[in-house]
PDB file of all heavy atoms in Angstrom:
ATOM      1  N   LEU A  39      76.332-159.544 105.070  1.00  0.00           N
ATOM      2  CA  LEU A  39      77.035-158.261 104.896  1.00  0.00           C
ATOM      3  C   LEU A  39      75.979-157.179 104.742  1.00  0.00           C
ATOM      4  O   LEU A  39      75.549-156.853 103.643  1.00  0.00           O
ATOM      5  CB  LEU A  39      77.951-158.317 103.667  1.00  0.00           C
ATOM      6  CG  LEU A  39      78.938-159.487 103.613  1.00  0.00           C
ATOM      7  CD1 LEU A  39      79.811-159.392 102.369  1.00  0.00           C
ATOM      8  CD2 LEU A  39      79.804-159.531 104.866  1.00  0.00           C
ATOM      9  N   ARG A  40      75.562-156.644 105.864  1.00  0.00           N
ATOM     10  CA  ARG A  40      74.434-155.717 105.861  1.00  0.00           C
ATOM     11  C   ARG A  40      74.833-154.335 105.370  1.00  0.00           C
ATOM     12  O   ARG A  40      75.801-153.752 105.849  1.00  0.00           O
ATOM     13  CB  ARG A  40      73.856-155.606 107.270  1.00  0.00           C
ATOM     14  CG  ARG A  40      73.339-156.924 107.818  1.00  0.00           C
ATOM     15  CD  ARG A  40      72.939-156.811 109.265  1.00  0.00           C
ATOM     16  NE  ARG A  40      72.630-158.125 109.825  1.00  0.00           N
ATOM     17  CZ  ARG A  40      72.437-158.361 111.124  1.00  0.00           C
ATOM     18  NH1 ARG A  40      72.529-157.366 111.979  1.00  0.00           N
ATOM     19  NH2 ARG A  40      72.156-159.581 111.545  1.00  0.00           N
ATOM     20  N   GLY A  41      74.054-153.819 104.430  1.00  0.00           N
ATOM     21  CA  GLY A  41      74.190-152.428 104.042  1.00  0.00           C
ATOM     22  C   GLY A  41      75.191-152.106 102.955  1.00  0.00           C
ATOM     23  O   GLY A  41      75.333-150.941 102.582  1.00  0.00           O
ATOM     24  N   PHE A  42      75.876-153.107 102.394  1.00  0.00           N
ATOM     25  CA  PHE A  42      76.910-152.781 101.401  1.00  0.00           C
ATOM     26  C   PHE A  42      76.313-152.182 100.134  1.00  0.00           C
ATOM     27  O   PHE A  42      76.978-151.438  99.418  1.00  0.00           O
ATOM     28  CB  PHE A  42      77.750-154.022 101.058  1.00  0.00           C
ATOM     29  CG  PHE A  42      77.128-154.972 100.079  1.00  0.00           C
ATOM     30  CD1 PHE A  42      77.400-154.866  98.724  1.00  0.00           C
ATOM     31  CD2 PHE A  42      76.260-155.964 100.510  1.00  0.00           C
ATOM     32  CE1 PHE A  42      76.832-155.739  97.809  1.00  0.00           C
ATOM     33  CE2 PHE A  42      75.689-156.839  99.612  1.00  0.00           C
ATOM     34  CZ  PHE A  42      75.974-156.734  98.259  1.00  0.00           C
ATOM     35  N   SER A  43      75.050-152.504  99.834  1.00  0.00           N
ATOM     36  CA  SER A  43      74.457-152.014  98.586  1.00  0.00           C
ATOM     37  C   SER A  43      73.222-151.147  98.816  1.00  0.00           C
ATOM     38  O   SER A  43      72.451-150.909  97.887  1.00  0.00           O
ATOM     39  CB  SER A  43      74.086-153.196  97.685  1.00  0.00           C
ATOM     40  OG  SER A  43      73.104-154.014  98.308  1.00  0.00           O
ATOM     41  N   SER A  44      73.022-150.664 100.041  1.00  0.00           N
ATOM     42  CA  SER A  44      71.806-149.898 100.353  1.00  0.00           C
ATOM     43  C   SER A  44      71.650-148.669  99.462  1.00  0.00           C
ATOM     44  O   SER A  44      70.562-148.408  98.930  1.00  0.00           O
ATOM     45  CB  SER A  44      71.820-149.467 101.828  1.00  0.00           C
ATOM     46  OG  SER A  44      71.831-150.580 102.678  1.00  0.00           O
ATOM     47  N   ILE A  45      72.719-147.911  99.300  1.00  0.00           N
ATOM     48  CA  ILE A  45      72.650-146.699  98.478  1.00  0.00           C
ATOM     49  C   ILE A  45      72.422-147.052  97.017  1.00  0.00           C
ATOM     50  O   ILE A  45      71.614-146.410  96.322  1.00  0.00           O
ATOM     51  CB  ILE A  45      73.936-145.863  98.630  1.00  0.00           C
ATOM     52  CG1 ILE A  45      74.138-145.459 100.086  1.00  0.00           C
ATOM     53  CG2 ILE A  45      73.883-144.630  97.730  1.00  0.00           C
ATOM     54  CD1 ILE A  45      72.998-144.675 100.689  1.00  0.00           C
ATOM     55  N   ALA A  46      73.104-148.082  96.532  1.00  0.00           N
ATOM     56  CA  ALA A  46      72.942-148.501  95.138  1.00  0.00           C
ATOM     57  C   ALA A  46      71.500-148.889  94.853  1.00  0.00           C
ATOM     58  O   ALA A  46      70.906-148.480  93.844  1.00  0.00           O
ATOM     59  CB  ALA A  46      73.880-149.668  94.834  1.00  0.00           C
ATOM     60  N   VAL A  47      70.911-149.681  95.747  1.00  0.00           N
ATOM     61  CA  VAL A  47      69.532-150.135  95.549  1.00  0.00           C
ATOM     62  C   VAL A  47      68.559-148.960  95.626  1.00  0.00           C
ATOM     63  O   VAL A  47      67.627-148.853  94.821  1.00  0.00           O
ATOM     64  CB  VAL A  47      69.171-151.211  96.594  1.00  0.00           C
ATOM     65  CG1 VAL A  47      67.690-151.569  96.509  1.00  0.00           C
ATOM     66  CG2 VAL A  47      70.020-152.462  96.386  1.00  0.00           C
ATOM     67  N   ALA A  48      68.788-148.060  96.575  1.00  0.00           N
ATOM     68  CA  ALA A  48      67.914-146.895  96.711  1.00  0.00           C
ATOM     69  C   ALA A  48      67.962-146.014  95.472  1.00  0.00           C
ATOM     70  O   ALA A  48      66.937-145.492  95.014  1.00  0.00           O
ATOM     71  CB  ALA A  48      68.303-146.093  97.956  1.00  0.00           C
ATOM     72  N   GLU A  49      69.140-145.840  94.906  1.00  0.00           N
ATOM     73  CA  GLU A  49      69.269-145.010  93.700  1.00  0.00           C
ATOM     74  C   GLU A  49      68.631-145.691  92.493  1.00  0.00           C
ATOM     75  O   GLU A  49      68.064-145.027  91.622  1.00  0.00           O
ATOM     76  CB  GLU A  49      70.743-144.686  93.449  1.00  0.00           C
ATOM     77  CG  GLU A  49      71.313-143.739  94.508  1.00  0.00           C
ATOM     78  CD  GLU A  49      72.750-143.325  94.234  1.00  0.00           C
ATOM     79  OE1 GLU A  49      73.356-143.838  93.263  1.00  0.00           O
ATOM     80  OE2 GLU A  49      73.270-142.489  94.992  1.00  0.00           O
ATOM     81  N   TRP A  50      68.707-147.031  92.443  1.00  0.00           N
ATOM     82  CA  TRP A  50      68.051-147.765  91.356  1.00  0.00           C
ATOM     83  C   TRP A  50      66.529-147.588  91.447  1.00  0.00           C
ATOM     84  O   TRP A  50      65.859-147.373  90.437  1.00  0.00           O
ATOM     85  CB  TRP A  50      68.443-149.235  91.437  1.00  0.00           C
ATOM     86  CG  TRP A  50      67.954-150.113  90.326  1.00  0.00           C
ATOM     87  CD1 TRP A  50      66.809-150.849  90.311  1.00  0.00           C
ATOM     88  CD2 TRP A  50      68.603-150.387  89.071  1.00  0.00           C
ATOM     89  NE1 TRP A  50      66.706-151.558  89.141  1.00  0.00           N
ATOM     90  CE2 TRP A  50      67.801-151.290  88.365  1.00  0.00           C
ATOM     91  CE3 TRP A  50      69.798-149.941  88.511  1.00  0.00           C
ATOM     92  CZ2 TRP A  50      68.143-151.767  87.104  1.00  0.00           C
ATOM     93  CZ3 TRP A  50      70.134-150.414  87.248  1.00  0.00           C
ATOM     94  CH2 TRP A  50      69.309-151.316  86.557  1.00  0.00           C
ATOM     95  N   ALA A  51      66.004-147.679  92.658  1.00  0.00           N
ATOM     96  CA  ALA A  51      64.573-147.477  92.862  1.00  0.00           C
ATOM     97  C   ALA A  51      64.168-146.065  92.454  1.00  0.00           C
ATOM     98  O   ALA A  51      63.122-145.849  91.830  1.00  0.00           O
ATOM     99  CB  ALA A  51      64.206-147.732  94.325  1.00  0.00           C
ATOM    100  N   THR A  52      65.011-145.095  92.786  1.00  0.00           N
ATOM    101  CA  THR A  52      64.743-143.706  92.410  1.00  0.00           C
ATOM    102  C   THR A  52      64.727-143.555  90.894  1.00  0.00           C
ATOM    103  O   THR A  52      63.878-142.850  90.325  1.00  0.00           O
ATOM    104  CB  THR A  52      65.809-142.783  93.021  1.00  0.00           C
ATOM    105  OG1 THR A  52      65.835-142.964  94.438  1.00  0.00           O
ATOM    106  CG2 THR A  52      65.526-141.322  92.699  1.00  0.00           C
ATOM    107  N   MET A  53      65.662-144.221  90.229  1.00  0.00           N
ATOM    108  CA  MET A  53      65.698-144.207  88.762  1.00  0.00           C
ATOM    109  C   MET A  53      64.412-144.767  88.170  1.00  0.00           C
ATOM    110  O   MET A  53      63.847-144.209  87.230  1.00  0.00           O
ATOM    111  CB  MET A  53      66.915-144.992  88.275  1.00  0.00           C
ATOM    112  CG  MET A  53      67.054-145.117  86.769  1.00  0.00           C
ATOM    113  SD  MET A  53      66.230-146.581  86.095  1.00  0.00           S
ATOM    114  CE  MET A  53      67.221-147.894  86.812  1.00  0.00           C
ATOM    115  N   MET A  54      63.909-145.870  88.744  1.00  0.00           N
ATOM    116  CA  MET A  54      62.662-146.450  88.249  1.00  0.00           C
ATOM    117  C   MET A  54      61.491-145.486  88.434  1.00  0.00           C
ATOM    118  O   MET A  54      60.642-145.347  87.550  1.00  0.00           O
ATOM    119  CB  MET A  54      62.382-147.774  88.954  1.00  0.00           C
ATOM    120  CG  MET A  54      63.210-148.936  88.455  1.00  0.00           C
ATOM    121  SD  MET A  54      62.509-150.552  88.939  1.00  0.00           S
ATOM    122  CE  MET A  54      63.049-150.645  90.653  1.00  0.00           C
ATOM    123  N   VAL A  55      61.456-144.823  89.585  1.00  0.00           N
ATOM    124  CA  VAL A  55      60.395-143.849  89.839  1.00  0.00           C
ATOM    125  C   VAL A  55      60.405-142.748  88.786  1.00  0.00           C
ATOM    126  O   VAL A  55      59.368-142.387  88.202  1.00  0.00           O
ATOM    127  CB  VAL A  55      60.535-143.237  91.251  1.00  0.00           C
ATOM    128  CG1 VAL A  55      59.599-142.040  91.416  1.00  0.00           C
ATOM    129  CG2 VAL A  55      60.238-144.281  92.319  1.00  0.00           C
ATOM    130  N   LEU A  56      61.583-142.199  88.513  1.00  0.00           N
ATOM    131  CA  LEU A  56      61.703-141.122  87.527  1.00  0.00           C
ATOM    132  C   LEU A  56      61.304-141.591  86.134  1.00  0.00           C
ATOM    133  O   LEU A  56      60.619-140.874  85.389  1.00  0.00           O
ATOM    134  CB  LEU A  56      63.133-140.583  87.526  1.00  0.00           C
ATOM    135  CG  LEU A  56      63.544-139.793  88.774  1.00  0.00           C
ATOM    136  CD1 LEU A  56      65.048-139.611  88.822  1.00  0.00           C
ATOM    137  CD2 LEU A  56      62.838-138.448  88.806  1.00  0.00           C
ATOM    138  N   ASN A  57      61.726-142.798  85.769  1.00  0.00           N
ATOM    139  CA  ASN A  57      61.375-143.333  84.448  1.00  0.00           C
ATOM    140  C   ASN A  57      59.876-143.534  84.296  1.00  0.00           C
ATOM    141  O   ASN A  57      59.296-143.236  83.243  1.00  0.00           O
ATOM    142  CB  ASN A  57      62.106-144.656  84.215  1.00  0.00           C
ATOM    143  CG  ASN A  57      63.485-144.470  83.619  1.00  0.00           C
ATOM    144  OD1 ASN A  57      63.657-144.397  82.415  1.00  0.00           O
ATOM    145  ND2 ASN A  57      64.484-144.377  84.482  1.00  0.00           N
ATOM    146  N   LEU A  58      59.235-144.045  85.339  1.00  0.00           N
ATOM    147  CA  LEU A  58      57.797-144.282  85.270  1.00  0.00           C
ATOM    148  C   LEU A  58      57.016-142.976  85.306  1.00  0.00           C
ATOM    149  O   LEU A  58      56.004-142.826  84.614  1.00  0.00           O
ATOM    150  CB  LEU A  58      57.363-145.195  86.413  1.00  0.00           C
ATOM    151  CG  LEU A  58      57.768-146.659  86.245  1.00  0.00           C
ATOM    152  CD1 LEU A  58      57.684-147.399  87.568  1.00  0.00           C
ATOM    153  CD2 LEU A  58      56.892-147.339  85.197  1.00  0.00           C
ATOM    154  N   ALA A  59      57.483-142.012  86.107  1.00  0.00           N
ATOM    155  CA  ALA A  59      56.798-140.727  86.182  1.00  0.00           C
ATOM    156  C   ALA A  59      56.770-140.030  84.827  1.00  0.00           C
ATOM    157  O   ALA A  59      55.811-139.321  84.502  1.00  0.00           O
ATOM    158  CB  ALA A  59      57.459-139.836  87.226  1.00  0.00           C
ATOM    159  N   ARG A  60      57.823-140.251  84.014  1.00  0.00           N
ATOM    160  CA  ARG A  60      57.872-139.625  82.695  1.00  0.00           C
ATOM    161  C   ARG A  60      57.508-140.603  81.556  1.00  0.00           C
ATOM    162  O   ARG A  60      57.767-140.342  80.393  1.00  0.00           O
ATOM    163  CB  ARG A  60      59.263-139.021  82.463  1.00  0.00           C
ATOM    164  CG  ARG A  60      59.642-137.956  83.476  1.00  0.00           C
ATOM    165  CD  ARG A  60      58.567-136.867  83.636  1.00  0.00           C
ATOM    166  NE  ARG A  60      58.402-136.096  82.430  1.00  0.00           N
ATOM    167  CZ  ARG A  60      59.039-134.929  82.195  1.00  0.00           C
ATOM    168  NH1 ARG A  60      59.862-134.438  83.107  1.00  0.00           N
ATOM    169  NH2 ARG A  60      58.840-134.281  81.080  1.00  0.00           N
ATOM    170  N   LYS A  61      56.900-141.726  81.920  1.00  0.00           N
ATOM    171  CA  LYS A  61      56.370-142.704  80.959  1.00  0.00           C
ATOM    172  C   LYS A  61      57.429-143.224  79.978  1.00  0.00           C
ATOM    173  O   LYS A  61      57.139-143.481  78.806  1.00  0.00           O
ATOM    174  CB  LYS A  61      55.191-142.115  80.175  1.00  0.00           C
ATOM    175  CG  LYS A  61      53.930-141.940  80.998  1.00  0.00           C
ATOM    176  CD  LYS A  61      52.748-141.577  80.106  1.00  0.00           C
ATOM    177  CE  LYS A  61      51.441-141.595  80.886  1.00  0.00           C
ATOM    178  NZ  LYS A  61      50.286-141.244  80.036  1.00  0.00           N
ATOM    179  N   ILE A  62      58.644-143.383  80.450  1.00  0.00           N
ATOM    180  CA  ILE A  62      59.708-143.869  79.574  1.00  0.00           C
ATOM    181  C   ILE A  62      59.408-145.239  78.967  1.00  0.00           C
ATOM    182  O   ILE A  62      59.689-145.458  77.776  1.00  0.00           O
ATOM    183  CB  ILE A  62      61.055-143.871  80.322  1.00  0.00           C
ATOM    184  CG1 ILE A  62      61.453-142.447  80.727  1.00  0.00           C
ATOM    185  CG2 ILE A  62      62.155-144.496  79.465  1.00  0.00           C
ATOM    186  CD1 ILE A  62      61.561-141.468  79.568  1.00  0.00           C
ATOM    187  N   PRO A  63      58.815-146.192  79.702  1.00  0.00           N
ATOM    188  CA  PRO A  63      58.494-147.472  79.056  1.00  0.00           C
ATOM    189  C   PRO A  63      57.565-147.322  77.849  1.00  0.00           C
ATOM    190  O   PRO A  63      57.769-147.973  76.823  1.00  0.00           O
ATOM    191  CB  PRO A  63      57.813-148.271  80.181  1.00  0.00           C
ATOM    192  CG  PRO A  63      58.392-147.714  81.436  1.00  0.00           C
ATOM    193  CD  PRO A  63      58.542-146.239  81.160  1.00  0.00           C
ATOM    194  N   ILE A  64      56.570-146.458  77.969  1.00  0.00           N
ATOM    195  CA  ILE A  64      55.648-146.242  76.854  1.00  0.00           C
ATOM    196  C   ILE A  64      56.344-145.513  75.707  1.00  0.00           C
ATOM    197  O   ILE A  64      56.155-145.848  74.527  1.00  0.00           O
ATOM    198  CB  ILE A  64      54.417-145.452  77.339  1.00  0.00           C
ATOM    199  CG1 ILE A  64      53.580-146.329  78.279  1.00  0.00           C
ATOM    200  CG2 ILE A  64      53.561-144.993  76.155  1.00  0.00           C
ATOM    201  CD1 ILE A  64      52.384-145.631  78.881  1.00  0.00           C
ATOM    202  N   ILE A  65      57.175-144.536  76.029  1.00  0.00           N
ATOM    203  CA  ILE A  65      57.907-143.802  74.988  1.00  0.00           C
ATOM    204  C   ILE A  65      58.845-144.739  74.229  1.00  0.00           C
ATOM    205  O   ILE A  65      58.958-144.669  73.007  1.00  0.00           O
ATOM    206  CB  ILE A  65      58.691-142.628  75.618  1.00  0.00           C
ATOM    207  CG1 ILE A  65      57.714-141.596  76.189  1.00  0.00           C
ATOM    208  CG2 ILE A  65      59.614-141.970  74.590  1.00  0.00           C
ATOM    209  CD1 ILE A  65      58.374-140.505  77.005  1.00  0.00           C
ATOM    210  N   ILE A  66      59.508-145.648  74.958  1.00  0.00           N
ATOM    211  CA  ILE A  66      60.383-146.624  74.300  1.00  0.00           C
ATOM    212  C   ILE A  66      59.580-147.510  73.362  1.00  0.00           C
ATOM    213  O   ILE A  66      59.980-147.755  72.210  1.00  0.00           O
ATOM    214  CB  ILE A  66      61.118-147.481  75.354  1.00  0.00           C
ATOM    215  CG1 ILE A  66      62.157-146.629  76.086  1.00  0.00           C
ATOM    216  CG2 ILE A  66      61.796-148.689  74.704  1.00  0.00           C
ATOM    217  CD1 ILE A  66      62.816-147.338  77.248  1.00  0.00           C
ATOM    218  N   LYS A  67      58.420-148.000  73.824  1.00  0.00           N
ATOM    219  CA  LYS A  67      57.586-148.866  72.983  1.00  0.00           C
ATOM    220  C   LYS A  67      57.029-148.117  71.773  1.00  0.00           C
ATOM    221  O   LYS A  67      56.695-148.734  70.766  1.00  0.00           O
ATOM    222  CB  LYS A  67      56.448-149.469  73.815  1.00  0.00           C
ATOM    223  CG  LYS A  67      56.922-150.585  74.754  1.00  0.00           C
ATOM    224  CD  LYS A  67      55.789-151.223  75.534  1.00  0.00           C
ATOM    225  CE  LYS A  67      55.342-150.378  76.694  1.00  0.00           C
ATOM    226  NZ  LYS A  67      54.390-151.109  77.581  1.00  0.00           N
ATOM    227  N   ASP A  68      56.954-146.801  71.884  1.00  0.00           N
ATOM    228  CA  ASP A  68      56.512-145.968  70.758  1.00  0.00           C
ATOM    229  C   ASP A  68      57.690-145.486  69.910  1.00  0.00           C
ATOM    230  O   ASP A  68      57.567-144.522  69.154  1.00  0.00           O
ATOM    231  CB  ASP A  68      55.723-144.758  71.266  1.00  0.00           C
ATOM    232  CG  ASP A  68      54.344-145.140  71.785  1.00  0.00           C
ATOM    233  OD1 ASP A  68      53.895-146.270  71.505  1.00  0.00           O
ATOM    234  OD2 ASP A  68      53.727-144.306  72.481  1.00  0.00           O
ATOM    235  N   SER A  69      58.828-146.166  70.052  1.00  0.00           N
ATOM    236  CA  SER A  69      60.039-145.861  69.262  1.00  0.00           C
ATOM    237  C   SER A  69      60.509-144.421  69.448  1.00  0.00           C
ATOM    238  O   SER A  69      60.994-143.797  68.512  1.00  0.00           O
ATOM    239  CB  SER A  69      59.793-146.160  67.773  1.00  0.00           C
ATOM    240  OG  SER A  69      59.459-147.519  67.598  1.00  0.00           O
ATOM    241  N   TRP A  70      60.347-143.896  70.649  1.00  0.00           N
ATOM    242  CA  TRP A  70      60.822-142.565  71.019  1.00  0.00           C
ATOM    243  C   TRP A  70      60.151-141.438  70.236  1.00  0.00           C
ATOM    244  O   TRP A  70      60.666-140.328  70.153  1.00  0.00           O
ATOM    245  CB  TRP A  70      62.343-142.466  70.891  1.00  0.00           C
ATOM    246  CG  TRP A  70      63.074-143.381  71.814  1.00  0.00           C
ATOM    247  CD1 TRP A  70      63.536-144.632  71.531  1.00  0.00           C
ATOM    248  CD2 TRP A  70      63.401-143.152  73.184  1.00  0.00           C
ATOM    249  NE1 TRP A  70      64.137-145.198  72.623  1.00  0.00           N
ATOM    250  CE2 TRP A  70      64.078-144.307  73.664  1.00  0.00           C
ATOM    251  CE3 TRP A  70      63.211-142.089  74.065  1.00  0.00           C
ATOM    252  CZ2 TRP A  70      64.542-144.419  74.974  1.00  0.00           C
ATOM    253  CZ3 TRP A  70      63.681-142.197  75.366  1.00  0.00           C
ATOM    254  CH2 TRP A  70      64.336-143.356  75.800  1.00  0.00           C
ATOM    255  N   LYS A  71      58.987-141.730  69.689  1.00  0.00           N
ATOM    256  CA  LYS A  71      58.249-140.671  68.996  1.00  0.00           C
ATOM    257  C   LYS A  71      57.623-139.737  70.026  1.00  0.00           C
ATOM    258  O   LYS A  71      57.331-140.122  71.143  1.00  0.00           O
ATOM    259  CB  LYS A  71      57.164-141.281  68.111  1.00  0.00           C
ATOM    260  CG  LYS A  71      57.704-142.142  66.975  1.00  0.00           C
ATOM    261  CD  LYS A  71      56.580-142.773  66.192  1.00  0.00           C
ATOM    262  CE  LYS A  71      57.121-143.678  65.089  1.00  0.00           C
ATOM    263  NZ  LYS A  71      56.041-144.372  64.340  1.00  0.00           N
ATOM    264  N   GLN A  72      57.383-138.498  69.610  1.00  0.00           N
ATOM    265  CA  GLN A  72      56.788-137.519  70.514  1.00  0.00           C
ATOM    266  C   GLN A  72      55.273-137.516  70.359  1.00  0.00           C
ATOM    267  O   GLN A  72      54.751-137.406  69.257  1.00  0.00           O
ATOM    268  CB  GLN A  72      57.324-136.118  70.214  1.00  0.00           C
ATOM    269  CG  GLN A  72      58.790-135.930  70.568  1.00  0.00           C
ATOM    270  CD  GLN A  72      59.261-134.514  70.298  1.00  0.00           C
ATOM    271  OE1 GLN A  72      58.604-133.758  69.602  1.00  0.00           O
ATOM    272  NE2 GLN A  72      60.407-134.143  70.856  1.00  0.00           N
ATOM    273  N   ASP A  73      54.594-137.648  71.480  1.00  0.00           N
ATOM    274  CA  ASP A  73      53.147-137.543  71.506  1.00  0.00           C
ATOM    275  C   ASP A  73      52.802-136.734  72.749  1.00  0.00           C
ATOM    276  O   ASP A  73      52.854-137.236  73.860  1.00  0.00           O
ATOM    277  CB  ASP A  73      52.496-138.928  71.571  1.00  0.00           C
ATOM    278  CG  ASP A  73      50.982-138.869  71.449  1.00  0.00           C
ATOM    279  OD1 ASP A  73      50.383-137.918  71.992  1.00  0.00           O
ATOM    280  OD2 ASP A  73      50.391-139.788  70.830  1.00  0.00           O
ATOM    281  N   PHE A  74      52.458-135.472  72.558  1.00  0.00           N
ATOM    282  CA  PHE A  74      52.299-134.569  73.686  1.00  0.00           C
ATOM    283  C   PHE A  74      51.039-134.837  74.504  1.00  0.00           C
ATOM    284  O   PHE A  74      50.817-134.203  75.539  1.00  0.00           O
ATOM    285  CB  PHE A  74      52.316-133.114  73.203  1.00  0.00           C
ATOM    286  CG  PHE A  74      53.624-132.727  72.581  1.00  0.00           C
ATOM    287  CD1 PHE A  74      53.681-132.304  71.253  1.00  0.00           C
ATOM    288  CD2 PHE A  74      54.802-132.805  73.304  1.00  0.00           C
ATOM    289  CE1 PHE A  74      54.888-131.951  70.674  1.00  0.00           C
ATOM    290  CE2 PHE A  74      56.020-132.458  72.729  1.00  0.00           C
ATOM    291  CZ  PHE A  74      56.060-132.033  71.411  1.00  0.00           C
TER     292      PHE A  74
END
């Protein structure tokens, strides 16, 4: 079944890009503290 989830997967990848660009994994590991 080709293409049924293409948009879903692309948007998930976009979400990962945005999270990494703003260092969300590191911020989460730092308990959401602010470090400018």
Side-chain angles (χ1 to χ4, degrees):
L39 307 182
R40 299 173 188 170
F42 80 93
S43 62
S44 298
I45 301 302
V47 173
E49 291 184 355
W50 185 267
T52 304
M53 177 270 294
M54 283 198 281
V55 169
L56 290 166
N57 273 273
L58 286 163
R60 300 309 295 266
K61 289 190 172 180
I62 297 302
I64 291 177
I65 294 172
I66 290 173
K67 285 182 282 189
D68 288 345
S69 300
W70 297 94
K71 296 177 182 177
Q72 291 182 345
D73 186 323
F74 297 120

